[in-house]
Amino acid sequence: MFSTELVVQTFISGTMIGVLYALMALGITFIYSIMRMINWAMGEFYMIGSYLQYALVALLLGPDLWWLAIPISAAGVFLFGLVVQWSLLKPIFRKPPEARDDYATVVTLALLLLLRSLATGLAGPNQFSPGSDLPVVMVGPLPMAGARVAAFVFALVALVLFYLLLRYSWYGLALRATSQSRVGVQTAGIDVLGVDRIAFGIGVALAGLAGALLAPVFLVYPTNGLITTVKGFEIVVIGGLGSIPGALIAGVLLGLIESFGAAFIDSAYQNIYGFALVLLILALKPTGLLGERGREA
Amino acid sequence: MPLALETIRLVKRFGGLLAANDVSLAVEHGEIRGLIGPNGAGKTTLVNLVTGVHPPDMGDVKLGGQSLRGCAMHEIARLGLVRSFQVTRLFGNMTVSENLMTSFFARRNRATGDGTKQIGNMLELTRLGPLADTQAKKLSGGQRALLQMACGFMVPGSCYVLDEPFAGINPVIKDAIIDMIVDVNRRHGATFLVVSHEMAIVRRLCRQVTVMMEGRVAAQGTLDEVARLPEVIAGYLGKALE
Amino acid sequence: MRGQELLLAGAIVAGLATAGLPAAAQDIGIGLVVPLSPPGDPVGGQLIRRGAELGVETVNAAGGVLGGRKFKLYVEDSQGKPEAGVAAYRRLVSEDKVVFVPGFFHSSVAIAANEVANEMGVPTMSLQASAADITAKHYEVAFRTHVVDPVRVSAFMEFIKQKNFKRVSMIAETTDYGIGIADETIAQAKKMGGIEVQKVPFDRTVTDLTPQLLQIKAFKPDLVINIGVGQPLDLIIDQATTIGLLPNTPMLVSYDAPVRPQYWKLHPKNGAGIYFIAYFSPKAPLSDIGAAFSKAYVGKYKEDPVYGALNGFGAIEIISQAINAAKSTDPKALIKTLETGTFKSWPSNPVTFPRAKGVYWHNWSAPVLILHYTKPMEDWKEAEVAVQYAPVVPKD
Ligand SMILES: Nc1ncnc2c1ncn2[C@@H]1O[C@H](COP(=O)(O)OP(=O)(O)O)[C@@H](O)[C@H]1O
Ligand SMILES: [Mg+2]
């Protein structure tokens, strides 16, 4: 019953989906680490990314240029993120930090509802698929949709680019510094609200990228960001809020646990395994696998 | 020629507490001014008002004759007014070099180049060279104070506001910091406002000191002049010299 | 001039007051509870809604019921969630004063709503929900015009027998519908003998079903029965294709989702070869009102009506005939009339709701078909009829 082939296949499929979950978690954790707020509307940015991808492929570029549509969709979500930060969040962050968290929660929750109803209003409740002409690829013993492999590869590329940006660019320096002391960077002459804007844009663009990549695999509809967001938050708790390596490790871990749980324990409870892990982590190490001990910068 | 730094009748209230009460201060170009006073006198509040951390309830701050009203913290820093904190605000997970680089980039200009030369200079001046790739959070308190000072000196500012730079630091590092202040003051003609309780250092550095008590400017003059004033002795120095 | 204007305004107001209000007071409220947003199946709900709306238009255009009273349709969204469906039923009965609540696409919603209906007394009619409990509890208020699980599963068995399949896998969502069908299939397969059955359950909210499908692939089945509703159904088709389960292993979809225009948009390449349950084929004869409805539907929506729309229309027709026969809108009288009368809906065979045994209580359904898409982008009306199964209603 437990054939090696099934184990290897389950391992591969869990890892591949885990990396895509990690993309989502990375966005949440990155925005938190810079702005010290949680963006509850993350799933809606995923949703926008998937709709952009669908619209570009189905209406504008055609299925052959799907690879071009992906960076365009992510860039579209990035720009939208800049607008959201500028119009909704910046006014909150101008004020002293006391109730900032609560305001940010209310604003992003309102944004979540608004964007969802907007999607339903504009495109209807039906699901769409941008389709994919990519052939099925053998990953070891596991046949995989070309679109899924492409999503995995794009996600890895995005993660590497993200790392290079943080590590080796001037903006990366400013972003890392801001995550450690918002007052410190301002003293150094850095416009912290400008850093917020870029950080929010990049964070939601990661979600948008995940949405665009997964559009042909998990379909496009108004609430398609929900489940990925839930996974994203689970990963953030498992990996530690604010920890970027934590998000990556926990993402893959969650993908594996869900796959193996579904394949070898009981497939009906696939969503429960990750949640069980969350509870376990909260009990043993409340700050997550790689979370900082304290929350102060 | 306008004053290097001027505060005009600054008022700041925290709830019922008047933390800055009609504070007017005039610091000349190239001057190293001492700011002394008992704990809770409002020195840090004044520094925060000058550097844009808090907006004043009333009054204004002028840097080289230019009003800073409505300027954000980072804009004030880019105008050349650099500060240090009583509690250091370094980027703990970043290395010493990265901390210096971060302070360099936003304030750099055409004359400053890419910063490698300045980092070299600062590492040499602070003798932190061997620790260049160490995370700032692993430094000792004194080394942190040095690094914070060095961050401020990466791009020469026109005016420095230092909040208790010598508190809790061993004498060797104290001397290093004093040397840095004197060096920048001589070479670039930079102006300083230094908050400190260490009368020996204040006497060495500052020709003029300002005494704050209960949010007000209580006295001004040379350290010896103000030390003779009975209200200063009663309110502060009497205790400080005990 | 000024006086004239005032007079005119007064006349208009008076006219509205006398003509408008009494007419509105005479309207008969009909409630419709259907899923219009996820996690429900909004497409399924929308199609029923279209049929019901056209049904109300038709009845009203023909002069209404009881000599001139008009129907007014109140539509509520169940979101596919039992609690939302129950709240919708309560609102319809207590606030909108409706006399009849058809709809119900998701079985779990129908079952929950029937519990409340059993107390509040206004009859429900499940149009596309097939779990046994909807009628098996023998509630006075519970009616249904849809294929019940045993009948649907009997059609599966007919198909399995005909194709001589020996190993059958089911991927079933963990809802009343999914588990109900899966368990009934296991029971009937046991009775038939000689078949090995695998059941792989999954949570509806899961989007990556690869682990489940890998398990199925490892079982090496002759047939996979896709017991997902809405978006999971489509995800299963796509992900099964990916891991090479489709098209090598035949797949049977447990309801008529593939007749929807959306099907070929989502599965332009891997949609061919699928077998699916259907409740209507244009080859089967329609009643006169069914034909008229079909024409009106094509005129309005530029596509042929599918089963959901036909049943939505049928429910309105049936209740209008029942109200006229009962000469009343009283729920008790309506229930009595529905149980004893014979009505006309969209198919040519007559409609009855006898107090029959087990799940066949208050239940009427059109013949069950299994259709087969033999080529990509095939029109569902041209799909091959693989099985036609007429339900045998056990007599009391
Ligand atoms: N952000 C603040 N909110 C409320 N009270 C403050 C704040 N900052 C300083 N204070 C109060 O203002 C007074 C002056 O404090 P401070 O400027 O820190 O004094 P010093 O630096 O001279 O010791 C103190 O009573 C302090 O408690
Ligand atoms: Mg102080």
Side-chain angles (χ1 to χ4, degrees), chain B residues 108-184:
Chain B
R108 72 192 191 278
N109 53 46
R110 247 181 253 115
T112 51
D114 70 351
T116 29
K117 198 179 85 221
Q118 286 88 338
I119 288 181
N121 286 346
M122 284 305 153
L123 289 175
E124 198 179 332
L125 202 62
T126 55
R127 301 202 173 79
L128 289 174
L131 299 171
D133 294 324
T134 306
Q135 285 183 319
K137 66 181 174 196
K138 296 190 178 135
L139 301 181
S140 71
Q143 289 167 334
R144 271 186 231 197
L146 260 180
L147 177 57
Q148 175 171 245
M149 212 54 66
C151 283
F153 293 142
M154 278 296 288
V155 177
S158 60
C159 184
Y160 288 84
V161 181
L162 310 180
D163 196 357
E164 303 207 17
F166 309 111
I169 289 174
N170 76 50
V172 179
I173 292 185
K174 263 182 207 165
D175 282 338
I177 294 179
I178 293 170
D179 289 347
M180 286 169 82
I181 294 173
V182 172
D183 179 68
V184 173

Side-chain angles (χ1 to χ4, degrees), chain C residues 220-297:
Chain C
K220 297 194 171 56
D222 304 324
L223 173 71
V224 179
I225 307 181
N226 178 343
I227 317 179
V229 176
Q231 162 223 322
L233 174 146
D234 293 305
L235 291 175
I236 289 169
I237 293 177
D238 280 352
Q239 293 175 19
T241 309
T242 296
I243 64 158
L245 200 53
L246 275 178
N248 306 327
T249 313
M251 180 178 281
L252 172 60
V253 170
S254 71
Y255 71 107
D256 67 339
V259 306
R260 298 177 190 166
Q262 203 196 353
Y263 178 79
W264 287 118
K265 282 192 197 132
L266 289 174
H267 311 290
K269 288 188 213 72
N270 59 354
I274 293 278
Y275 292 89
F276 57 96
I277 290 280
Y279 319 102
F280 166 63
S281 160
K283 288 162 197 161
L286 290 176
S287 66
D288 54 345
I289 57 172
F293 168 77
S294 178
K295 209 168 145 228
Y297 191 95

Side-chain angles (χ1 to χ4, degrees), chain B residues 38-45 86 163-164 195 197:
Chain B
N39 279 329
K43 305 182 295 294
T44 299
T45 302
Q86 198 170 341
D163 196 357
E164 303 207 17
V195 180
H197 292 290

